[in-house]
Amino acid sequence: MSGLKTAVAFPYILASTAMPPRPNLLAVILGGGAGKRLFPLTAQRSKPAVPLGGKYRLVDVPISNCINSDVIRMFVLTQYNSASLNRHIATTFRFSPFADGFVEVLAAEQTPESGEWFQGTADAVRQVLPHIRDWRIETLLILSGDHLYRMDYRKFLKRHYDANADITISVIPIPPDSASEFGLLKTDAAGRIIEFREKPTGETLERMRVDTTSFGLSPDEASARPFLASMGIYVFKYERLEEVLAEDTARLDFGKEVIPASIHNYNVQAYLFDGYWEDIGTIGAFYKANLDMTSAIPPFNLFDAEAPMFTRARYLPPSKIDNCEIRDSIVSDGCIINGAKINRSVIGLRARIGEGAHIDSSYIMGADYYQTLEDMLGDREANRPRVGIGEGSIIRRAIVDKNSRIGANVHLLNEAAVEQADGADGSYFIRDRIIIVPKNGLIPDGTVV
């Protein structure tokens, strides 16, 4: 979703200056559930650990936003396939021993109070309150782990403090065709939320239309985006959070239950976000967000020196590219590409692409390791493709996960435009017409999909 291009009429909605530092602040990043809509990318990893943009992971987005906003104490909540996420965080985000910053994974755990896994966003936060309570904080920032955006949370927090809000929700104007997928809200003249509906449809959806010219949109923009959607990003006064979560333990989700129940009893405010934001919880959205990064002027700019994206420092060599034709693409570190044609694609770390390969509109995630000569000789003796893309293979509109072995003269094209399918042996999947080769997948020589 593109950002606003006009000035915002009401300064109570969009703060323009950074807040003063406040030490009693902590962020919680919600790692999500099983990530079924991102399967098979989540078959062996949690959703926040899914690779993004060639060299990053989804969790790097909110963590980087926090670091750039001087929010340096973070918990990441997860419960599925958390090993790779734990490893990534442990090897990446190490703060100075003279500071109190940290990024720590909190997985669902059995306790005397609860033996259940997280049942929803609110239930997840409720279950980890004992860990949060130890920090004696005043403010809790709750973030999603599967959104792509760049936000200065200091402005968000300043809006919260200036309004003396109990809860503040970040919102964005959206068009009608996607409105039913989000929690929608209305505000009064002071920016206080007076109505909230989670994923409304039909007449209920139509009643949630608002005149977004009052938020700074031009008449044409307001006509195109007449709904205010919750971004699933919240700021709570910590004491109020304890209250609302204790009121009814059957309320498991913030958007569906906690927020609608709170707007009449608490000061719940809106903060208008004016930048690029995408919910990348589905294969189609994930694919589009990554391919959009290859644009000449990408909607999400990885080259912002003032607000960089942080990730693991791998100390890989520069990519080696020989006799290739590469257009509108991103090539990450440590790749070896020989005689290939690559168009509008993202090439991940340590990718090896063979002579005569054609890659078009695809995300090749690369590999976690380099094969030794002995490894490659062993593959040849076993008549098995080595890790990477084989000679003469053509890959179009696909996602090839890490450590995959694509043989020679393989065609991954989906020319029949199949919407959804599973390969008989699990070697590939099709979602939203996009071919996905799972992590450690193997596609034999000459295969056509």
Side-chain angles (χ1 to χ4, degrees):
M1 297 176 183
S2 59
L4 307 184
K5 298 180 180 178
T6 56
V8 176
F10 295 98
Y12 63 81
I13 293 292
L14 178 61
S16 60
T17 57
M19 70 158 198
R22 294 204 179 198
N24 296 327
L25 167 68
L26 190 145
V28 166
I29 299 169
L30 301 173
K36 293 180 180 178
R37 297 185 301 164
L38 272 179
F39 179 86
L41 302 180
T42 52
Q44 300 183 42
R45 57 169 78 91
S46 62
K47 188 158 42 172
V50 172
L52 173 78
K55 63 179 292 183
Y56 307 97
R57 293 178 185 258
L58 291 180
V59 75
D60 293 335
V61 175
I63 292 177
S64 297
N65 285 339
C66 282
I67 294 172
N68 293 325
S69 304
D70 297 327
V71 179
I72 60 171
R73 297 190 293 186
M74 292 162 262
F75 286 128
V76 181
L77 274 53
T78 186
Q79 61 186 350
Y80 290 94
N81 289 335
S82 59
S84 63
L85 178 66
N86 293 343
R87 185 168 56 249
H88 174 71
I89 289 176
T91 56
T92 304
F93 300 102
R94 299 175 178 175
F95 292 87
S96 165
F98 301 103
D100 63 353
F102 63 86
V103 183
E104 182 179 336
V105 172
L106 289 181
E109 58 186 354
Q110 289 187 330
T111 67
E113 291 76 24
S114 175
E116 301 291 334
W117 281 23
F118 300 149
Q119 302 299 307
T121 55
D123 183 63
V125 173
R126 183 185 289 115
Q127 288 198 39
V128 300
L129 281 180
H131 301 288
I132 298 172
R133 194 177 292 124
D134 289 342
W135 288 90
R136 298 179 181 275
I137 62 169
E138 296 175 357
T139 307
L140 188 71
L141 176 62
I142 299 178
L143 309 170
S144 175
D146 57 0
H147 296 165
L148 182 61
Y149 65 107
R150 183 177 278 109
M151 180 188 288
D152 187 342
Y153 297 136
R154 289 170 295 191
K155 298 179 180 179
F156 186 16
L157 291 160
K158 184 177 188 301
R159 163 76 183 130
H160 177 75
Y161 295 134
D162 288 350
N164 192 27
D166 296 311
I167 307 169
T168 304
I169 303 173
S170 186
V171 303
I172 191 166
I174 62 169
D177 58 356
S178 60
S180 62
E181 301 173 13
F182 298 95
L184 304 181
L185 56 91
K186 292 182 177 181
T187 68
D188 64 15
R192 182 168 179 166
I193 297 173
I194 56 175
E195 187 173 357
F196 189 100
R197 301 287 181 182
E198 179 70 6
K199 299 181 180 180
T201 59
E203 293 183 3
T204 304
L205 173 63
E206 287 302 310
R207 288 198 297 269
M208 295 306 294
R209 283 180 177 266
V210 297
D211 180 8
T212 50
T213 57
S214 62
F215 293 91
L217 277 70
S218 69
D220 288 343
E221 289 174 322
S223 176
R225 292 184 288 166
F227 296 94
L228 287 179
S230 167
M231 296 169 61
I233 300 173
Y234 315 103
V235 180
F236 278 84
K237 277 185 181 177
Y238 182 72
E239 60 181 341
R240 295 293 179 266
L241 175 70
E242 291 256 20
E243 288 179 18
V244 299
L245 292 182
E247 283 176 357
D248 186 348
T249 56
R251 295 172 185 163
L252 304 177
D253 188 83
F254 282 115
K256 293 178 182 178
E257 296 155 329
V258 173
I259 299 301
S262 299
I263 60 176
H264 302 297
N265 301 321
Y266 298 94
N267 181 12
V268 184
Q269 295 281 331
Y271 166 78
L272 186 72
F273 178 64
D274 68 340
Y276 169 86
W277 176 76
E278 285 290 344
D279 181 346
I280 50 179
T282 67
I283 289 293
F286 175 83
Y287 171 85
K288 181 180 182 301
N290 279 279
L291 270 290
D292 281 348
M293 294 181 192
T294 67
S295 303
I297 303 177
F300 183 83
N301 180 20
L302 292 172
F303 294 84
D304 189 337
E306 295 183 359
M309 277 268 286
F310 298 101
T311 193
R312 179 182 170 192
R314 298 172 177 87
Y315 308 109
L316 292 171
S319 290
K320 186 167 67 172
I321 300 171
D322 179 44
N323 192 31
C324 295
E325 181 181 312
I326 301 177
R327 299 175 183 271
D328 302 327
S329 296
I330 293 172
V331 179
S332 303
D333 299 342
C335 299
I336 301 174
I337 308 175
N338 297 311
K341 291 185 178 180
I342 300 173
N343 177 62
R344 194 172 176 261
S345 295
V346 178
I347 310 300
L349 299 161
R350 305 184 191 86
R352 184 185 289 269
I353 301 177
E355 184 79 28
H358 289 201
I359 313 294
D360 182 41
S361 301
S362 296
Y363 182 8
I364 311 300
M365 291 187 178
D368 289 317
Y369 58 90
Y370 286 118
Q371 287 188 290
T372 64
L373 289 175
E374 289 77 10
D375 291 336
M376 289 186 278
L377 287 172
D379 287 339
R380 180 181 296 179
E381 292 172 0
N383 195 29
R384 179 176 59 228
R386 65 188 184 186
V387 175
I389 311 298
E391 292 80 3
S393 290
I394 302 175
I395 299 175
R396 181 182 305 136
R397 193 173 166 79
I399 300 172
V400 179
D401 208 334
K402 286 189 172 184
N403 311 329
S404 293
R405 300 166 181 265
I406 310 297
N409 300 308
V410 168
H411 289 189
L412 302 181
L413 303 174
N414 189 19
E415 291 184 322
V418 175
E419 187 73 26
Q420 180 167 321
D422 294 355
D425 54 359
S427 60
Y428 72 89
F429 300 84
I430 299 176
R431 298 290 186 271
D432 299 328
R433 300 186 182 182
I434 300 160
I435 299 172
I436 307 126
V437 179
K439 187 176 182 180
N440 302 315
L442 190 153
I443 306 292
D445 294 352
T447 300
V448 176
V449 177

